[in-house]
Amino acid sequence: MSRTERLFTLLQALRHHRFPVTGASLADELGVSLRTLYRDIATLQAQGANIEGEPGLGYILRPGFMLPPLMFTAEEIEALVLGSNWVAKRTDTHLGSAAKNALAKISSVLPQELRHNLDSSSLMVGTASQAETDVVDLSIIRRAIRSEYKLRIDYCDMQGNVTQRTIWPLALGYFDHVRMLAGWCEVRQDFRHFRTDRISTLLITQDHYPRRKQDLLKEWRTCDAYQQASSNKIGKNN
């Protein structure tokens, strides 16, 4: 983790605590030494973060740092809460945690009356139908998509045949019962869709795929595989 990432992680940890938290607890939560924690707090304070406290007594971050007060309509707040709750309940653990963290960041800089609307939203996400269980970590797939790295996977098709594939990951779709990875398959030399619950092993390479993701996405959206995915015919063409 870079120093910049560590500072942002520390800010987020402080945002989650409404009461002073000791340096030792923060250091343990972040996996850093107490000396590093104190140095990072001093850095944030020098940059304008309103962190109150001192060693031995604890620290607390007063709201309003890094982002200006945000103004939303009542329906915009409901949309944020509902969308975040959907992601938290219907996707994987890492993405669900990210949704909760994003909502906490927004809440920390809202004016008091709007923060009340966010905390008291009555819109709820229903219980999801039983989804197939993924063996692999979907956060690795999302990282490969962002970085445009190739993936190597072992994939089991509908007939139970396992094949090794090298794919250029383009999109990850979250459906009620399954999750679907779309990408260019070097074996088939075409766009293909892969149910993530049928991926038994997964390796992110350090090889960028040779074409721009934006161009590949445009082509994918015009192919037959995309039309099948849009019709919920998942995993029919591997």
Side-chain angles (χ1 to χ4, degrees), residues 4-100:
T4 299
E5 291 174 325
R6 194 176 70 241
L7 292 175
F8 275 106
T9 301
L10 173 56
L11 276 175
Q12 184 61 14
L14 285 166
R15 284 192 178 104
H16 281 296
H17 293 281
R18 296 191 176 184
F19 300 98
V21 56
T22 65
S25 295
L26 285 170
D28 183 66
E29 182 177 344
L30 300 177
V32 299
S33 68
L34 193 57
R35 181 179 179 181
T36 297
L37 186 280
Y38 288 151
R39 185 169 61 245
D40 287 348
I41 286 179
T43 298
L44 291 173
Q45 289 173 329
Q47 293 177 355
N50 189 10
I51 301 174
E52 297 180 357
E54 60 185 67
L57 297 178
Y59 297 92
I60 186 169
L61 174 66
R62 299 303 180 187
F65 178 62
M66 296 295 287
L67 293 173
L70 301 179
M71 298 299 294
F72 294 100
T73 67
E75 287 191 342
E76 286 172 341
I77 288 179
E78 288 178 340
L80 287 170
V81 173
L82 189 62
S84 297
N85 287 338
W86 190 95
V87 172
K89 287 189 176 183
R90 300 294 183 90
T91 63
D92 56 275
T93 302
H94 294 289
L95 203 58
S97 177
K100 294 177 182 178

Side-chain angles (χ1 to χ4, degrees), residues 55-213:
L57 297 178
Y59 297 92
I60 186 169
L61 174 66
R62 299 303 180 187
F65 178 62
M66 296 295 287
L67 293 173
L70 301 179
M71 298 299 294
F72 294 100
T73 67
E75 287 191 342
E76 286 172 341
I77 288 179
E78 288 178 340
L80 287 170
V81 173
L82 189 62
S84 297
N85 287 338
W86 190 95
V87 172
K89 287 189 176 183
R90 300 294 183 90
T91 63
D92 56 275
T93 302
H94 294 289
L95 203 58
S97 177
K100 294 177 182 178
N101 286 340
L103 202 60
K105 289 180 181 178
I106 293 172
S107 175
S108 69
V109 295
L110 283 174
Q112 182 61 40
E113 65 275 11
L114 293 183
R115 192 179 308 148
H116 173 75
N117 290 345
L118 188 148
D119 292 337
S120 62
S121 175
S122 299
L123 301 184
M124 297 182 293
V125 176
T127 303
S129 55
Q130 185 64 36
E132 299 294 339
T133 302
D134 293 309
V135 176
V136 297
D137 184 353
L138 298 190
S139 67
I140 297 176
I141 295 177
R142 291 195 298 273
R143 186 167 75 249
I145 292 173
R146 290 193 300 269
S147 304
E148 300 184 17
Y149 283 136
K150 294 182 182 182
L151 285 173
R152 293 195 183 99
I153 64 173
D154 287 338
Y155 189 75
C156 181
D157 64 18
M158 295 183 66
Q159 289 72 43
N161 302 312
V162 178
T163 56
Q164 294 182 336
R165 311 289 186 95
T166 298
I167 60 175
W168 310 350
L170 300 176
L172 187 60
Y174 291 82
F175 296 85
D176 282 341
H177 298 284
V178 296
R179 286 113 181 195
M180 181 272 295
L181 169 62
W184 176 268
C185 177
E186 292 188 354
V187 173
R188 303 300 189 205
Q189 285 295 295
D190 201 355
F191 294 104
R192 285 293 187 266
H193 294 143
F194 304 91
R195 283 178 42 160
T196 57
D197 61 297
R198 292 180 181 165
I199 299 175
S200 57
T201 63
L202 171 68
L203 174 67
I204 183 171
T205 74
Q206 296 303 306
D207 299 326
H208 289 283
Y209 39 85
R211 297 182 56 196
R212 294 175 65 245
K213 182 172 65 176

